[in-house]
Amino acid sequence: MTMYRTLLAAAFAVGLFGAPALADPPRDADRAFQAIRQGRSMPLPQLERRVIPFMGGADYLGPELNGDAYRFKFMQNGRVIWVDVDGQGRIIRRSRDR
């Protein structure tokens, strides 16, 4: 009986706390989609094709959406390199992890 109550409480908690997260789409992703749709930003694959060739052979680890810009993560010689890119493919900032 105790195990049944524990499982029921866990299921209730997942439903209670998980539902709001599923109901709200990420705002940054929605904003990015709207910018692409309205022609103010390029799609992510196109931005990647513009930036990756300038990274001198660094390994591309993936993107993050950072407000109105994308942050691309690279690794080179054991160091992390972050490259912030606007929707038109211009590099805004480049930083290295120390």
Side-chain angles (χ1 to χ4, degrees), residues 1-8:
M1 183 78 165
T2 303
M3 187 167 107
Y4 176 73
R5 284 185 183 171
T6 304
L7 288 174
L8 185 61

Side-chain angles (χ1 to χ4, degrees), residues 51-64:
V51 173
I52 292 172
F54 292 103
M55 294 308 297
D59 295 322
Y60 178 54
L61 302 178
E64 290 179 6

Side-chain angles (χ1 to χ4, degrees), residues 1 4-5 9 27 47 49 59 64 69 73 77 87 94:
M1 183 78 165
Y4 176 73
R5 284 185 183 171
R27 292 182 185 173
L47 292 171
R49 284 192 300 271
D59 295 322
E64 290 179 6
K73 184 177 183 180
N77 300 325
R94 181 179 165 159

Side-chain angles (χ1 to χ4, degrees), residues 10-97:
F12 178 73
V14 167
L16 183 65
F17 295 113
L22 297 175
D24 274 346
R27 292 182 185 173
D28 283 345
D30 187 46
R31 225 182 349 208
F33 174 74
Q34 290 300 325
I36 292 168
R37 198 168 141 209
Q38 294 169 358
R40 294 181 290 117
S41 180
M42 293 181 208
L44 178 60
Q46 192 173 353
L47 292 171
E48 290 170 332
R49 284 192 300 271
R50 280 189 158 209
V51 173
I52 292 172
F54 292 103
M55 294 308 297
D59 295 322
Y60 178 54
L61 302 178
E64 290 179 6
L65 193 54
N66 187 22
D68 292 334
Y70 282 95
R71 175 167 280 179
F72 296 146
K73 184 177 183 180
F74 294 88
M75 180 75 82
Q76 189 171 38
N77 300 325
R79 300 190 100 143
V80 175
I81 304 168
W82 297 97
V83 179
D84 294 342
V85 179
D86 70 8
Q88 301 306 309
R90 293 181 294 253
I91 295 175
I92 301 168
R93 180 176 37 246
R94 181 179 165 159
S95 64
R96 287 184 179 254
D97 184 36

